[in-house]
């Protein structure tokens, strides 16, 4: 098993990217996103986060470092590029803040381009939900629903609309309230002197100013209130909405100021035309006695301003938009009808004159607001993200899985490009970051040995002299890696320093496997003799091997050596001893339902039964065959779900009496399965093993849980696995080696079968041109 390389310092279980507008843009979604992201970061121990930001300004914004990607609102290509960028990132979850106005295209349809390409888990917070949408808005929002793992509604009405109007299943909807700052329940008089309103009854409305805020209604109600209570002052806090200012300048604000003059309210209404920071906003809210939201539109599913006022425990009067009806029920506030000037003035007077009722209302609002403070909201989101990630691990996808590839009548051409790109004049670099050799992690004898096995198997088929310089390089590395005791160092840094005294049993076994292929198929006697000498020098250490996998790898090396030197009695004795040991391991751990060599299934599992099939070929011992068949069938039963192989993940493995890990699936297991099934067919002649070999191979090509190919047809690179965040961006040596071993094995076997069925055809050779083979077949 290879070390799992990550290219981010983020916690693997809570690596979040927010898709939204971002500060410093003056936008409610941007503010919400920052507050949410900061709160979640605090909840998970201060981990950093990233934002993919929607931008309108052609010059962009002076974004904070959290913004790592920008989408220009009206550039459709940016949406596709953003999806590609997110897919290539280490993000575990994408948190989408959805509101129609912030995305480009008709009704925001450009967002659908991004979502259709996105391969990350998606949690969408619905800031806008339209009950009776126009066709284009409905279609746009239904695309968001389709691609979201969860939809967050911020009110019960939002939940109900999603369920009844859009047909969203209840288990896909989560109610999480709009977050609010955690502020103390204090007397408003404590803050009034900061704003020069001490001794006055303060009414407040805040937020970006636009015609739908209903400020006119509040102003028209003020004369009757002032007549009874001349100490009243109404503060309208907030800059004009950028969209309003872009199209109409300050025309709307000036019309309100004219209305104030016309109503004679100059001493009772104050406009603060600016965008205040959070601390100043909290102080304004705390200074008010009554908060007013006189909005004009019924279909407002959320309101951050109302939420903030509730969180601060304010007495609230509002018009009956959806969010207000939900939040102010149970006497947490007062509702007056849209445009009802008299109703609003009466409600204000009653609240001013009845401090008992006002304080009771404040307490109810504050108690409910405790559910909405950012700490609690962040905790709910963290739980939701973890739930979605866990669900992805255990989601049953067989019934909805659809192949994205055609059945493989042919196999891909064998491309050694990536393997050779990882090879230099010293050996084989073991890791690759996004396909580029990663020198930071140096070399390993594990990979060099298995790379040698690939090249020798390939050479046996095509006799290509072009690969021989690389073969000599690999042999030179292994000779240098062998210690005086006969064992082998495993890890070497890029500056040519060995990093260990000697490798593990598995390292020794893998080297013997690779050297055995050289003894069997080496292009000249000198190489074959060197491989033989290295194997013989390792004999004292081989006799001490305890690891079952180390023994299995070594058996394969012995099997290759014995094919050329059947009389090599010491190696034959060791092969039979190791096979006996494996059979003994199997009997010790086997139960009625658990047919395996250990009490846990981990990595490289199929090499154990494969080794016993080869041992049976060399010894004829029936016990080896029985254990090989039963254990391989158990592996199949454990991992084949009827549609694709669900390999055992390295994020927990599969212990006896435990749960099988889903993610961290590795190419090594798919590749080894292919080789084991080919060995099983060669020994038993059962066609079912050929089918299994094909399906296991197709795991690389997209027959897998994510329905995505790990193999890159362009350069022959292979992704390092299937993680909860998607296909790994890394393409290391082990992955391409195991793919090539499987591909070469499949192609050689098909060619041999074809030759057997059409021995007279001059067109059929052992060539790896499988297109020609397919046509002939």
């Amino acid at each position: 098993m290879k070390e799992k390389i990550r290219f981010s310092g983020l916690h693997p279980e809570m690596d979040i990217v927010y898709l939204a507008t971002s500060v410093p843009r003056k936008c409610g979604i941007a503010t919400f996103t920052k507050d949410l992201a900061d709160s979640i970061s605090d909840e998970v121990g201060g981990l950093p986060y990233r934002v993919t930001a929607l931008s309108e300004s052609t010059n962009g914004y002076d974004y904070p470092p959290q913004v790592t990607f920008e989408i220009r609102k009206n550039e459709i290509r940016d949406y596709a590029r953003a999806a590609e960028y997110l897919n290539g990132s280490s993000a575990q979850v994408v948190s989408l803040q959805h509101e129609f106005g912030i995305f480009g295209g008709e009704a925001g349809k450009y967002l659908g381009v991004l979502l259709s390409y996105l391969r990350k888990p998606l949690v969408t917070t619905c800031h806008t939900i339209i009950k009776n949408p126009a066709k284009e808005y409905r279609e746009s929002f239904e695309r968001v629903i389709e691609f979201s793992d969860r939809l967050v509604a911020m009110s019960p009405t939002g939940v109900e609309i999603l369920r009844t109007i859009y047909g969203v299943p209840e288990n896909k909807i989560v109610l999480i309230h709009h977050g609010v700052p955690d502020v103390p329940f204090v007397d408003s008089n404590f803050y009034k002197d900061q704003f020069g309103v001490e001794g006055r009854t303060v009414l407040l409305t805040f937020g970006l100013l636009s015609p739908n805020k209903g400020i006119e209604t509040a102003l028209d109600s003020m004369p009757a209130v002032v007549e009874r209570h001349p100490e009243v002052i109404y503060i309208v806090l907030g800059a004009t909405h950028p969209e309003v200012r872009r199209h109409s300048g300050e025309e709307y604000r000036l019309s309100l100021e004219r209305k104030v003059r016309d109503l004679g309210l100059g001493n009772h209404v104050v406009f603060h035309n600016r965008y205040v920071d959070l601390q100043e906003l909290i102080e304004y809210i705390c200074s008010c006695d009554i908060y007013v939201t006189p909005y004009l539109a019924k279909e407002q599913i959320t309101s951050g301003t109302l939420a903030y006022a509730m969180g601060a425990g304010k007495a609230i009067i509002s018009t009956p938009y959806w969010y207000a009806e939900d939040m102010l029920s149970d006497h947490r506030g007062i509702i007056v009808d849209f445009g009802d000037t008299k109703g609003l003035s009466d409600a204000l007077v009653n609240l001013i004159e009845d401090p008992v009722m006002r304080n009771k209302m404040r307490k109810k609002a504050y108690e409910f607001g405790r559910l909405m403070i950012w700490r609690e909201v962040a905790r709910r989101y963290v739980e939701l993200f973890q739930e979605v990630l866990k669900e992805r691990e255990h989601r049953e996808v067989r019934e909805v899985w659809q192949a994205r590839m055609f059945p493989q009548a042919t196999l891909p051409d064998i491309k050694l490009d990536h393997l050779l790109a990882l090879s230099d004049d010293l050996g084989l670099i073991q890791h690759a970051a996004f396909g580029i050799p990663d020198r930071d992690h140096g070399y390993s004898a594990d990979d060099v040995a298995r790379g040698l096995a690939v090249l020798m198997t390939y050479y046996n088929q095509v006799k290509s002299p072009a690969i021989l310089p690389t073969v000599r390089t690999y042999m030179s590395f292994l000779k240098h890696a062998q210690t005086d005791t006969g064992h082998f160092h495993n890890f070497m840094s890029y500056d040519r320093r060995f990093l260990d005294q000697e490798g593990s049993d598995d390292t020794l076994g893998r080297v013997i496997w690779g050297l055995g292929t050289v003894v069997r198929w080496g292009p000249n006697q000198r190489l074959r003799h060197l491989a033989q000498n290295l194997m013989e020098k390792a004999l004292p250490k081989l006799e001490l091997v305890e690891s079952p996998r180390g023994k299995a790898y070594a058996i394969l090396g012995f099997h290759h050596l014995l094919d050329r030197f059947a009389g090599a009695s010491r190696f034959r004795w060791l092969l039979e001893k190791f096979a006996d040991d494996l059979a003994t391991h199997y009997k010790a751990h086997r139960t009625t339902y658990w047919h395996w060599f250990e009490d846990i299934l981990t990595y490289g599992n199929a090499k154990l039964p494969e080794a016993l099939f080869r041992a049976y070929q060399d010894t004829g011992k029936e016990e080896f065959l029985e254990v090989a068949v039963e254990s391989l069938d158990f592996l199949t039963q454990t991992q084949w779900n009827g549609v694709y192989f669900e390999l055992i993940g390295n994020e927990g493995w599969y212990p006896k009496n435990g749960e099988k890990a889903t993610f961290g699936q590795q190419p090594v297991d798919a590749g080894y399965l292919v080789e084991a099934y080919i060995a099983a067919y060669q020994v038993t002649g059962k066609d079912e093993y050929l089918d299994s070999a094909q399906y296991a191979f197709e795991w690389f090509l997209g027959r897998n849980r994510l329905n995505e190919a790990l193999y890159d047809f362009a350069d022959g690179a292979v992704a390092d696995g299937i993680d909860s965040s998607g296909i790994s961006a890394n393409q290391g040596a082990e992955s391409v080696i195991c793919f090539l071993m499987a591909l070469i094995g499949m192609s050689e076997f098909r060619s041999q079968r074809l030759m057997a069925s059409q021995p007279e055809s001059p067109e059929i050779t052992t060539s790896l041109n499988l297109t020609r083979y397919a046509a002939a077949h």
Side-chain angles (χ1 to χ4, degrees):
M1 180 187 64
K2 285 295 179 186
E3 173 192 0
K4 192 170 186 180
I5 302 300
R6 296 185 182 276
F7 296 96
S8 168
L10 301 178
H11 190 285
E13 297 304 321
M14 202 48 61
D15 186 348
I16 306 164
V17 171
Y18 298 89
L19 176 55
T21 55
S22 172
V23 296
R25 180 172 172 178
K26 293 176 172 56
C27 162
I29 301 298
T31 302
F32 177 92
T33 302
K34 183 181 188 308
D35 290 340
L36 175 64
D38 286 344
S39 300
I40 290 176
S41 178
D42 290 343
E43 180 66 20
V44 295
L47 292 176
Y49 61 85
R50 289 165 290 167
V51 178
T52 293
L54 275 296
S55 296
E56 281 195 310
S57 171
T58 55
N59 297 323
Y61 294 92
D62 184 16
Y63 284 126
Q66 288 86 352
V67 174
T68 57
F69 196 93
E70 295 181 48
I71 300 173
R72 291 168 293 178
K73 176 181 177 179
N74 296 312
E75 292 289 336
I76 190 170
R77 289 173 298 179
D78 284 9
Y79 292 81
R81 290 284 183 257
E84 181 182 359
Y85 190 82
L86 288 168
N87 289 338
S89 75
S90 60
Q92 298 290 308
V93 179
V94 174
S95 174
L96 167 64
Q97 307 304 313
H98 182 264
E99 186 169 74
F100 282 106
I102 66 176
F103 299 103
E106 185 182 25
K109 68 179 181 181
Y110 287 177
L111 175 62
V113 174
L114 188 158
L115 300 184
S116 66
Y117 286 108
L118 185 66
R119 298 291 175 261
K120 303 289 185 177
L122 178 69
V123 174
T124 298
T125 302
C126 302
H127 294 263
T128 307
I129 306 175
I130 304 175
K131 190 171 186 179
N132 299 299
K135 180 175 181 292
E136 61 273 17
Y137 282 91
R138 184 180 188 103
E139 290 175 351
S140 179
F141 191 48
E142 284 177 341
R143 292 279 281 171
V144 174
I145 293 170
E146 175 188 356
F147 290 114
S148 298
D149 292 83
R150 289 290 191 282
L151 297 164
V152 176
M154 290 187 271
S155 68
T157 297
V159 171
E160 187 64 14
I161 294 174
L162 288 173
R163 189 181 65 82
T164 58
I165 304 299
Y166 292 93
V168 182
E170 289 188 15
N171 61 2
K172 194 172 180 175
I173 308 169
V174 179
L175 173 61
I176 303 179
H177 290 291
H178 192 297
V180 300
D182 188 359
V183 300
F185 187 74
V186 296
D187 190 322
S188 59
N189 291 313
F190 183 79
Y191 287 91
K192 289 181 180 180
D193 61 332
Q194 298 181 48
F195 305 110
V197 291
E198 59 270 30
R200 303 190 70 171
T201 300
V202 178
L203 315 182
L204 175 68
T205 296
F206 79 88
L208 294 174
L209 203 61
S210 62
N212 66 347
K213 299 294 186 182
I215 304 299
E216 298 91 337
T217 303
L219 294 177
D220 286 337
S221 73
M222 282 293 291
V225 176
V226 170
E227 184 178 353
R228 294 280 295 271
H229 293 280
E231 81 284 2
V232 166
I233 186 168
Y234 179 33
I235 299 175
V236 181
L237 172 64
T240 301
H241 196 289
E243 285 296 303
V244 174
R245 190 168 59 247
R246 183 177 294 116
H247 292 99
S248 307
E250 293 291 355
E251 179 183 350
Y252 177 62
R253 180 182 295 276
L254 292 173
S255 73
L256 295 178
E257 291 178 355
R258 285 196 299 271
K259 179 181 278 289
V260 169
R261 287 196 301 270
D262 293 344
L263 293 173
L265 297 173
N267 294 324
H268 301 279
V269 178
V270 177
F271 291 96
H272 288 302
N273 182 15
R274 57 198 183 88
Y275 196 89
V276 298
D277 63 25
L278 178 61
Q279 183 57 42
E280 188 176 5
L281 173 59
I282 290 172
E283 291 170 356
Y284 266 107
I285 295 172
C286 289
S287 72
C288 84
D289 299 288
I290 301 172
Y291 187 75
V292 183
T293 59
Y295 297 169
L296 300 178
K298 179 77 171 178
E299 295 183 335
Q300 176 138 348
I301 204 65
T302 186
S303 168
T305 63
L306 177 59
Y308 274 35
M310 290 193 68
K314 296 290 110 176
I316 301 169
I317 300 175
S318 176
T319 50
Y321 56 92
W322 290 334
Y323 189 68
E325 288 183 317
D326 283 337
M327 294 298 103
L328 301 183
S329 61
D330 194 25
H331 306 290
R332 290 189 291 265
I334 295 175
I335 299 288
V336 298
D337 204 3
F338 297 106
D340 185 358
T341 302
K342 185 176 186 306
L344 179 54
S345 61
D346 289 345
L348 286 167
V349 169
N350 289 338
L351 269 185
I352 294 169
E353 294 178 352
D354 191 345
V356 174
M357 179 175 68
R358 189 167 71 243
N359 285 328
K360 183 182 291 187
M361 188 182 298
R362 287 190 62 202
K363 288 179 181 178
K364 280 182 169 288
Y366 190 76
E367 288 172 2
F368 190 84
R370 296 296 85 198
L371 303 174
M372 303 164 62
I373 59 174
W374 279 117
R375 182 177 63 252
E376 296 299 324
V377 168
R379 188 169 300 142
R380 290 294 312 282
Y381 272 96
V382 169
E383 291 170 353
L384 176 57
F385 294 154
Q386 291 175 334
E387 179 182 301
V388 167
L389 287 173
K390 193 69 174 175
E391 184 179 89
R392 282 247 172 159
E393 293 183 18
H394 299 288
R395 179 181 295 167
E396 183 55 75
V397 294
R398 283 178 291 174
E399 295 180 2
V400 299
W401 188 91
Q402 295 180 350
R404 292 181 180 170
M405 61 176 191
F406 294 106
Q408 294 296 304
T410 63
L411 296 169
D413 290 336
I414 294 177
K415 296 177 70 71
L416 299 180
D417 303 37
H418 188 61
L419 180 68
L420 297 179
L422 293 174
S423 304
D424 59 16
D425 62 349
L426 178 62
L428 177 59
I429 295 174
Q430 62 176 326
H431 290 302
F434 301 95
I436 304 301
D438 184 359
R439 298 175 180 179
D440 290 345
H441 296 89
Y443 313 84
S444 75
D446 285 337
D447 287 338
V448 171
R450 288 180 293 185
L452 193 59
V454 166
L455 294 181
M456 284 291 91
T457 308
Y458 178 75
Y459 183 79
N460 178 53
Q461 291 189 43
V462 301
K463 300 297 187 290
S464 170
I467 67 168
L468 295 183
T470 307
V471 170
R472 287 193 288 270
T473 297
Y474 288 1
M475 283 294 294
S476 176
F477 182 95
L478 294 179
K479 182 180 184 302
H480 183 53
Q482 190 165 38
T483 68
D484 292 339
T485 65
H487 209 302
F488 293 84
H489 296 287
N490 189 16
F491 297 112
M492 176 186 276
S493 63
Y494 188 70
D495 60 0
R496 303 192 177 205
R497 291 179 297 108
F498 285 115
L499 304 176
D500 52 18
Q501 292 300 313
E502 62 182 33
S504 65
D505 283 358
D506 288 8
T507 296
L508 181 56
R510 290 184 185 111
V511 173
I512 295 302
W513 171 23
L515 293 173
T517 64
V518 179
V519 172
R520 184 178 186 180
W521 293 313
N524 57 60
Q525 193 175 68
R526 295 186 304 277
L527 270 178
R528 294 195 298 270
H529 283 176
L530 175 58
Q532 177 187 334
N533 288 341
L534 297 180
M535 292 179 72
E536 288 175 345
K537 184 176 178 180
L539 277 170
K541 283 293 185 178
L542 281 167
E543 293 176 5
L544 303 176
V545 167
E546 296 182 356
S547 160
R549 281 168 187 74
K551 293 176 180 179
Y553 293 129
I555 286 172
L556 297 177
F558 302 153
H559 171 74
H560 289 301
L561 179 143
L562 291 170
D563 182 78
R564 178 172 286 274
F565 299 117
S569 56
R570 190 62 181 169
F571 288 106
R572 181 176 296 278
W573 176 81
L574 264 182
L575 179 145
E576 187 165 355
K577 177 185 182 302
F578 283 179
D580 278 330
D581 292 344
L582 291 181
T584 300
H585 271 287
Y586 183 78
K587 292 174 186 175
H589 295 276
R590 183 191 185 280
T591 65
T592 302
Y593 66 89
W594 185 262
H595 299 170
W596 196 242
F597 304 82
E598 302 163 302
D599 285 340
I600 187 171
L601 281 162
T602 56
Y603 68 97
N605 300 301
K607 272 292 174 266
L608 278 71
E610 181 193 351
L612 288 176
F613 280 120
R614 298 309 184 192
Y616 169 75
Q617 288 179 307
D618 289 323
T619 66
K621 197 167 181 178
E622 290 293 332
E623 180 186 22
F624 298 160
L625 177 59
E626 292 170 5
V627 173
V629 168
E630 193 172 86
S631 59
L632 183 58
D633 289 350
F634 176 68
L635 265 187
T636 306
Q637 169 195 333
T638 300
Q639 299 179 104
W640 174 250
N641 65 18
V643 178
Y644 56 85
F645 275 95
E646 187 80 282
L647 302 178
I648 294 163
N650 64 18
E651 297 179 7
W653 306 119
Y654 183 22
K656 184 193 288 188
N657 301 319
E659 293 186 4
K660 183 176 77 169
T662 298
F663 287 111
Q665 296 184 32
Q666 300 175 98
V668 63
D669 290 300
Y672 284 3
L673 274 173
V674 173
E675 294 180 88
Y677 287 130
I678 290 174
Y681 177 78
Q682 290 173 336
V683 171
T684 69
K686 292 182 179 180
D687 287 340
E688 65 192 64
Y689 288 124
L690 291 184
D691 294 336
S692 294
Q694 180 68 43
Y695 294 144
F697 180 75
E698 289 177 0
W699 181 89
F700 291 100
L701 306 181
R703 186 183 285 273
N704 54 51
R705 160 172 281 265
L706 297 186
N707 206 6
E708 292 188 46
L710 286 82
Y711 177 65
D712 187 333
F713 285 82
D715 62 5
V718 181
D720 281 355
I722 293 177
D723 300 325
S724 56
S725 59
I727 300 298
S728 173
N730 309 325
Q731 298 171 315
E734 180 181 82
S735 301
V736 69
I737 286 168
C738 293
F739 172 81
L740 287 171
M741 288 296 292
L743 177 56
I744 293 169
M746 292 284 290
S747 61
E748 178 183 26
F749 184 68
R750 283 190 176 187
S751 297
Q752 289 174 352
R753 292 190 76 203
L754 187 59
M755 290 180 65
S757 64
Q758 298 182 349
E760 302 302 321
S761 173
E763 296 298 319
I764 307 302
T765 70
T766 57
S767 167
L768 297 177
N769 186 338
L770 296 172
T771 302
R772 185 167 68 182
Y773 156 63
H777 193 264

